[in-house]
Amino acid sequence: MLTGIRIIGLGIWVAILSTAISAFFFRNGTEEDAALVFVAIMDFIVIGVVARAVLRMCRNQRG
């Protein structure tokens, strides 16, 4: 339950951050620009989490 709340909270913060970034960098930022920034940030986070999990599995297999 707590993990679900954390994931939802992370999504809300990333949405707010992506809206602010698109408004700052794109003068006439549209919802599409905000969505692209949102997807880029979430992809970066997901890739980081997956990479961390793979590294943990590799370390656990060694010893």
Side-chain angles (χ1 to χ4, degrees), residues 12-58:
I12 291 170
W13 278 110
V14 170
I16 292 169
L17 180 67
S18 63
T19 304
I21 288 172
S22 66
F24 183 74
F25 286 110
F26 306 111
R27 256 178 213 235
N28 297 323
T30 61
E31 290 179 12
E32 184 177 332
D33 294 331
L36 288 174
V37 173
F38 178 80
V39 169
I41 293 171
M42 288 304 284
D43 284 346
F44 183 75
I45 291 171
V46 169
I47 289 169
V49 168
V50 169
R52 178 189 262 174
V54 169
L55 287 175
R56 279 189 185 160
M57 283 185 356
C58 290

